[in-house]
C-alpha cells in the first residue's frame, strides 16, 4: 500500500480507547466531597487498586475500605491495554528466569493459582468481560528468530506449561500471513479479555462486597498523620490507618517511587469489524492472542465482534517523564503501526481502523511489578508492571495488602518482593539512556538479534530486555 492509503486507513479513527468507548459504560461514581475515615485507603482505580479493594473487603468484611480514582475507573493503562491475560507474574518466563531463577518454580505456581483465582472471581461475581482462554501464538517474523523456538518451548515445558513448536508452513496455516517463519503455541495460562469491562466488573464487585469507590477524586496530597495517613482531594479527605498506592505510570504521590518508575507510551489501532470474507482470509480459527519474537514486537488479537486490535512496537519515552493527553496522538507511530499491519496481512488492504489511541505504561528496570513502603510503612505501593499486568495486577494487590497489614506470607518472602530494581538515573541521563537502549534494540532486530556493546553492558548489569 502507498503511504497515502496507509494514512487514510486510520485518518477517521476515533482517538480514544476502543474498550472504554462501549455504550454500556457505567455512569460516573460520585466524587469524594466529605471527610471519611477508613481502615484502608486505595489510591488508583485501575486493576491493581480494584483488586486491592475487593480482596481487602473479602478478607476483612468489618474493615472500612475507600478507593479514590482521579479520573474514571479504567482510565489509565487498565483500560488502554490490549487485553492479554498471561499467567506470568514476571513479564514472561524468560524475564523471570534471568532475575529470580531459584524462585521461578514457586513464581510460576503462584501465577497459575492467580490466573485460576481471576477466573473464579469472574464467575462468582458474574463479571462478563469477554474472557476467552485462547492461548498464545508467538511468531518468528524473521528467519533468525526461528532458531529460538525450540528453546522457548522447552523453557515453558520445564515449568509445567504445554508448548508446541510450529514450522513456517504450520504457523501460516494457523494464521495466514506471509511474514511468519514459525511459531510457539502456548495453549494454557493465556487468555484475552476486555480489560475495561473487567475493571468495571471488579468495581461493581468491590462495592457489592462493601467497599466505597469515588471517581473524579484525585489525591492532591498524602501525608502522615498520627498513626495513620491523611489524603486530601479537591473537595474532601480520607483519614486511613494504611494506604495502598496503585497509580501506575502517573506522577507518584510519594518520593520512594520516583526513581524506579518511568512512563513509556504505547500505541494501538483497532479495525472496523471484519467481513465474513476478510475473516476467512485470516484463518485464525482458534482466536489466539498473537505476538512476535522481536525486541520491538507487536501484539494483536481479535475482539469479540471480530475486529483486529494491533499494538506495540514503538514504545516512546518523553523527556522528564512527560505525561499528558497531548501525547495520546502520535501520527508517526500510527502510520508505522498501520504499515506493519498491512505488511502482515496484505489480504486486508482497504480495511479501515475505527479507533486509535496511546497511553502510558509504568515501566521499571526489571520490567515487572515492584513493591515498597513509604510514610513510615503506612503506605505500600505496587507499580512497574511494564505491560503484562492484566493478570499480575491481582497478585500485586495481594502482595500490597500483605505488606500493608504486616502479614508474613509466602508472597512477602519472595526475593521478587523484598528486592528493588535498579533505579533510573536523573535527567538528562534518564532520557539519554532510555533513548540509547531503544535504538540499540532496534539495531539488534536489524542485525539478526545480535546485541551490541550497549545491550551487552545492560545484560551484565541485570537490565537486559529481550521480550
Amino acid at each position: 500500500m502507498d503511504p497515502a492509503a496507509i494514512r487514510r486507513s486510520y485518518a477517521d479513527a476515533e482517538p480514544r480507547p476502543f474498550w472504554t468507548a462501549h455504550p454500556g459504560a457505567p455512569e460516573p461514581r460520585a466524587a469524594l466531597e466529605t471527610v471519611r475515615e477508613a481502615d484502608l485507603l486505595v489510591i488508583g482505580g485501575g486493576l491493581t487498586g480494584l483488586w486491592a479493594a475487593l480482596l481487602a473487603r473479602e478478607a476483612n468484611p468489618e474493615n472500612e475500605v475507600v478507593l479514590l480514582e482521579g479520573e474514571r475507573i479504567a482510565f489509565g493503562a487498565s483500560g488502554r491495554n490490549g487485553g492479554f491475560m498471561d499467567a506470568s507474574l514476571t513479564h514472561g518466563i524468560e524475564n523471570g528466569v534471568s532475575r529470580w531463577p531459584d524462585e521461578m518454580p514457586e513464581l510460576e505456581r503462584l501465577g497459575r493459582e492467580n490466573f485460576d483465582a481471576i477466573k473464579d472471581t469472574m464467575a462468582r461475581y458474574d463479571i462478563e468481560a469477554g474472557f476467552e482462554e485462547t492461548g498464545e501464538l508467538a511468531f518468528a517474523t524473521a528467519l533468525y528468530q526461528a532458531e529460538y523456538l525450540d528453546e522457548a518451548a522447552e523453557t515453558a515445558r520445564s515449568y509445567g506449561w504445554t508448548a508446541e513448536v510450529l514450522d513456517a508452513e504450520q504457523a501460516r496455516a494457523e494464521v495466514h500471513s506471509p511474514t511468519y517463519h514459525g511459531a510457539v503455541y502456548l495453549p494454557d495460562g493465556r487468555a484475552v479479555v476486555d480489560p475495561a469491562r473487567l475493571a468495571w466488573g471488579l468495581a461493581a464487585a468491590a462495592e457489592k462486597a462493601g467497599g466505597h469507590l469515588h471517581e473524579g477524586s484525585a489525591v492532591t496530597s498524602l501525608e502522615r498523620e498520627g498513626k495513620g495517613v491523611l489524603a486530601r482531594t479537591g473537595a474532601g479527605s480520607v483519614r486511613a490507618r494504611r494506604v495502598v498506592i496503585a497509580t501506575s505510570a502517573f506522577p507518584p504521590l510519594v518520593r520512594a517511587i520516583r526513581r524506579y518508575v518511568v512512563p513509556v507510551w504505547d500505541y494501538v489501532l483497532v479495525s472496523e469489524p471484519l467481513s465474513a470474507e476478510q475473516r476467512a482470509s485470516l484463518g485464525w480459527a482458534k482466536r489466539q492472542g498473537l505476538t512476535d519474537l522481536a525486541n520491538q514486537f507487536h501484539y494483536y488479537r481479535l475482539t469479540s465482534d471480530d475486529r483486529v486490535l494491533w499494538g506495540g512496537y514503538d514504545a516512546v519515552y518523553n523527556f522528564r517523564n512527560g505525561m499528558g493527553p497531548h501525547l495520546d496522538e502520535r501520527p508517526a507511530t500510527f502510520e508505522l503501526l498501520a504499515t506493519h499491519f498491512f505488511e502482515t496481512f496484505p489480504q486486508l488492504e482497504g480495511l479501515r481502523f475505527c479507533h486509535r489511541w496511546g497511553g502510558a505504561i509504568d515501566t521499571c528496570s526489571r520490567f515487572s511489578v515492584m513493591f515498597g513502603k513509604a510514610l513510615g510503612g503506612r503506605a505500600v505501593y505496587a507499580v512497574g508492571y511494564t505491560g503484562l499486568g492484566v493478570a499480575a495486577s491481582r497478585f500485586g494487590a495481594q502482595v500490597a495488602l500483605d505488606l500493608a497489614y504486616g502479614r508474613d506470607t509466602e508472597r512477602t518472602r519472595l526475593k521478587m518482593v523484598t528486592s528493588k530494581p535498579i533505579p533510573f538515573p536523573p535527567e538528562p541521563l534518564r532520557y539519554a539512556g532510555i533513548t540509547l537502549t531503544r535504538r540499540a534494540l532496534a539495531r539488534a532486530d536489524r542485525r539478526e538479534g545480535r546485541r551490541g556493546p550497549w545491550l551487552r553492558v545492560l545484560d551484565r548489569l541485570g537490565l537486559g530486555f529481550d521480550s
Side-chain angles (χ1 to χ4, degrees):
M1 291 175 64
D2 67 88
I6 293 286
R7 290 189 289 271
R8 284 195 300 271
S9 71
Y10 60 84
D12 297 326
E14 186 176 355
R16 62 180 294 193
F18 170 73
W19 309 119
T20 55
H22 288 308
E27 291 297 314
R29 290 168 173 81
L32 179 70
E33 296 181 344
T34 60
V35 176
R36 299 199 68 135
E37 304 282 337
D39 180 74
L40 175 71
L41 169 63
V42 179
I43 302 176
L47 291 171
T48 298
L50 294 167
W51 278 115
L54 175 58
L55 293 170
R57 283 293 301 179
E58 288 182 333
N60 299 289
E62 71 282 0
N63 286 346
E64 190 81 353
V65 175
V66 175
L67 181 148
L68 300 178
E69 164 57 40
E71 297 282 349
R72 296 291 312 278
I73 298 297
F75 170 79
S78 293
R80 297 173 184 244
N81 64 79
F84 285 71
M85 185 184 288
D86 191 315
S88 174
L89 305 176
T90 59
H91 202 278
I93 295 175
E94 291 80 4
N95 188 55
V97 168
S98 71
R99 301 178 195 286
W100 307 287
D102 295 338
E103 288 185 348
M104 280 305 290
E106 185 178 7
L107 285 166
E108 288 297 292
R109 174 179 56 78
L110 289 170
R112 282 187 183 82
E113 294 171 359
N114 182 68
F115 189 87
D116 290 339
I118 293 172
K119 293 191 292 183
D120 176 69
T121 298
M122 289 191 293
R124 283 190 293 115
Y125 287 98
D126 195 24
I127 297 174
E128 176 48 56
F131 177 82
E132 297 181 73
E133 199 163 355
T134 57
E136 178 184 287
L137 270 171
F139 290 105
T141 52
L143 275 171
Y144 77 89
Q145 294 169 11
E147 300 172 7
Y148 307 153
L149 298 176
D150 287 329
E151 180 182 354
E154 184 54 39
T155 299
R157 293 182 192 122
S158 70
Y159 292 101
W161 300 106
T162 301
E164 179 184 0
V165 176
L166 309 181
D167 63 23
E169 183 178 355
Q170 292 169 320
R172 295 179 188 187
E174 284 288 331
V175 181
H176 305 334
S177 171
T179 64
Y180 299 154
H181 298 277
V184 174
Y185 179 38
L186 301 166
D188 48 352
R190 279 90 178 160
V192 293
V193 71
D194 179 327
R197 284 162 61 192
L198 175 60
W200 296 335
L202 290 174
E207 289 178 320
K208 183 177 181 179
H212 302 279
L213 279 60
H214 296 278
E215 297 178 273
S217 303
V219 175
T220 56
S221 67
L222 187 65
E223 58 192 50
R224 294 168 60 169
E225 184 183 73
K227 295 183 178 180
V229 174
L230 174 64
R232 291 188 175 90
T233 69
S237 63
V238 179
R239 288 183 171 88
R241 294 182 61 189
R242 49 187 65 85
V243 178
V244 168
I245 300 173
T247 49
S248 186
F250 291 92
L253 290 162
V254 296
R255 186 175 301 175
I257 301 175
R258 295 175 189 170
R259 295 187 302 151
Y260 294 105
V261 174
V262 299
V264 174
W265 287 74
D266 184 43
Y267 294 87
V268 183
L269 295 170
V270 170
S271 78
E272 61 191 5
L274 301 175
S275 68
E277 182 180 1
Q278 289 169 328
R279 181 67 184 84
S281 75
L282 295 177
W284 210 345
K286 297 175 185 174
R287 301 179 58 83
Q288 304 98 323
L290 309 182
T291 187
D292 63 69
L293 297 174
N295 291 306
Q296 291 183 292
F297 60 93
H298 288 294
Y299 55 84
Y300 42 121
R301 55 163 293 188
L302 294 166
T303 65
S304 58
D305 58 350
D306 280 342
R307 304 168 192 262
V308 181
L309 178 147
W310 178 267
Y313 193 84
D314 200 13
V316 177
Y317 172 72
N318 299 285
F319 187 61
R320 293 190 183 279
N321 291 6
M323 293 283 288
H326 63 289
L327 298 172
D328 292 354
E329 285 283 307
R330 198 167 191 269
T333 294
F334 292 133
E335 183 173 356
L336 185 65
L337 282 173
T339 299
H340 290 174
F341 177 89
F342 290 112
E343 289 173 352
T344 303
F345 296 127
Q347 66 269 42
L348 296 182
E349 182 175 349
L351 185 69
R352 304 294 289 260
F353 296 99
C354 61
H355 289 79
R356 66 175 191 258
W357 72 88
I361 296 169
D362 55 334
T363 300
C364 69
S365 63
R366 71 186 192 194
F367 314 114
S368 57
V369 62
M370 57 161 284
F371 307 92
K373 296 182 179 181
L375 303 181
R378 297 165 176 83
V380 174
Y381 52 85
V383 291
Y385 292 92
T386 318
L388 267 187
V390 174
S393 56
R394 182 185 179 279
F395 171 79
Q398 280 188 310
V399 171
L401 291 173
D402 286 344
L403 295 173
Y405 284 92
R407 297 191 286 253
D408 178 23
T409 67
E410 177 185 23
R411 293 182 292 265
T412 61
R413 291 190 292 271
L414 292 166
K415 290 180 183 177
M416 179 188 183
V417 174
T418 60
S419 64
K420 286 282 200 307
I422 296 173
F424 291 100
E427 297 288 16
L429 294 177
R430 177 176 297 192
Y431 180 79
I434 294 173
T435 301
L436 182 59
T437 301
R438 290 182 62 235
R439 291 174 179 171
L441 289 168
R443 187 162 51 250
D445 283 338
R446 294 192 301 269
R447 298 174 59 201
E448 298 188 339
R450 293 190 296 274
R451 298 169 78 80
W454 176 249
L455 293 181
R456 291 198 296 271
V457 168
L458 294 182
D459 291 340
R460 286 195 293 272
L461 292 174
L463 296 170
F465 181 60
D466 60 3
S467 71

